[in-house]
Amino acid sequence: MKRKLLHAVLVASMAVALSGCGNTSGINADAEKTQKATETENIEEERGTEVAAAEQKENTTGTPDENGNYLINGSFEEPDFSGWTVTNNNDVTEELDVYDRETDCFTGAQSLHFYSGNNPVDFSMKQTVSGLEDGTYKLTAHIQGDAAGDENPTVYFYALVDGEEVKADGKLQGYVNWYTVEIPGITPTDGAITVGAHVATAPGGWGTIDDITLVKE
């Protein structure tokens, strides 16, 4: 593929969207093979290049969209990483961008895409929502891809609330074999939640992240 707390529940999802983005009809083992490759996370310190070129907007009003999602651009349908701070740790990830290939997203028409051929993959991303009303929230995210033989890749999503981080591991388990991560029971006392992810794997690693939601339970 060349381009483009306290309670955590991991849900392995083998399902793919039935229509539009993520539909795997007709995809076989040969297709997966030809899907060519076409940080350590530290909450206090991030090193590398921030990829997003657009001004980073934040949801400071605590207002959800029509689907109840409090995150801005959670499905990466904007032409850039609006809403997100995406950091290419140590500048090693060769491709880190918005991917407009519909078969490689979970919903919609775009996703966050990563790939490195000669270098490791190592990037992080985050978004802060503030102004939230009292209550309990749930983070859900979807990821697919390949770790290029790395037996110990770093793949996780997290929620940072009241200074405490809750993590849930993800998996890179094959082309459009989506792995769903859920972190429920997020209850901020100051109306703010930071959500994010960190992916680090061997050269040749690739994948996409899509449809990240933060909803009220």
Side-chain angles (χ1 to χ4, degrees), residues 121-166:
V121 169
D122 191 354
F123 72 93
S124 57
M125 55 187 290
K126 66 179 180 179
Q127 181 175 154
T128 298
V129 180
S130 57
L132 294 167
E133 62 182 22
D134 291 344
T136 302
Y137 297 81
K138 180 172 75 171
L139 172 66
T140 304
H142 309 274
I143 187 169
Q144 66 90 25
D146 191 273
D150 191 339
E151 295 183 357
N152 295 293
T154 297
V155 183
Y156 67 82
F157 294 82
Y158 69 86
L160 182 64
V161 59
D162 296 339
E164 188 165 2
E165 180 189 286
V166 178

Side-chain angles (χ1 to χ4, degrees), residues 6 28 42 45 67 69 108 122 127 140 189 193 196:
L6 275 144
N28 55 27
N42 185 313
E45 179 181 5
N67 298 313
N69 189 6
D122 191 354
Q127 181 175 154
T140 304
T189 61
I193 299 173

Side-chain angles (χ1 to χ4, degrees):
M1 185 175 93
K2 182 86 178 152
R3 268 202 29 109
K4 352 194 189 189
L5 47 212
L6 275 144
H7 186 58
V9 177
L10 305 180
V11 180
S13 174
M14 306 290 288
V16 181
L18 296 180
S19 61
C21 182
N23 190 338
T24 58
S25 298
I27 295 175
N28 55 27
D30 289 339
E32 182 172 345
K33 290 178 182 177
T34 58
Q35 191 65 27
K36 289 264 309 187
T38 75
E39 283 163 29
T40 300
E41 174 77 21
N42 185 313
I43 297 301
E44 290 80 19
E45 179 181 5
E46 294 181 357
R47 296 174 297 169
T49 299
E50 286 189 5
V51 177
E55 179 181 356
Q56 293 304 316
K57 301 176 182 177
E58 289 187 358
N59 185 349
T60 59
T61 63
T63 303
D65 65 15
E66 63 274 13
N67 298 313
N69 189 6
Y70 288 84
L71 297 174
I72 292 174
N73 194 25
S75 192
F76 305 99
E77 298 305 308
E78 298 295 331
D80 50 46
F81 287 135
S82 291
W84 298 95
T85 298
V86 180
T87 303
N88 187 359
N89 296 321
N90 298 312
D91 299 323
V92 294
T93 311
E94 295 170 14
E95 297 182 14
L96 186 55
D97 48 31
V98 175
Y99 205 30
D100 59 4
R101 178 166 161 162
E102 290 192 7
T103 53
D104 291 50
C105 55
F106 190 81
T107 60
Q110 297 184 159
S111 57
L112 182 154
H113 160 253
F114 59 89
Y115 163 71
S116 275
N118 299 314
N119 297 321
V121 169
D122 191 354
F123 72 93
S124 57
M125 55 187 290
K126 66 179 180 179
Q127 181 175 154
T128 298
V129 180
S130 57
L132 294 167
E133 62 182 22
D134 291 344
T136 302
Y137 297 81
K138 180 172 75 171
L139 172 66
T140 304
H142 309 274
I143 187 169
Q144 66 90 25
D146 191 273
D150 191 339
E151 295 183 357
N152 295 293
T154 297
V155 183
Y156 67 82
F157 294 82
Y158 69 86
L160 182 64
V161 59
D162 296 339
E164 188 165 2
E165 180 189 286
V166 178
K167 297 196 302 185
D169 289 335
K171 290 183 180 180
L172 297 172
Q173 54 188 15
Y175 180 51
V176 292
N177 189 1
W178 290 94
Y179 192 90
T180 299
V181 175
E182 293 183 352
I183 304 178
I186 307 170
T187 308
T189 61
D190 60 357
I193 299 173
T194 296
V195 303
H198 179 204
V199 177
T201 190
W206 54 265
T208 55
I209 295 173
D210 200 19
D211 197 26
I212 305 177
T213 61
L214 180 68
V215 301
K216 194 171 184 181
E217 292 187 300

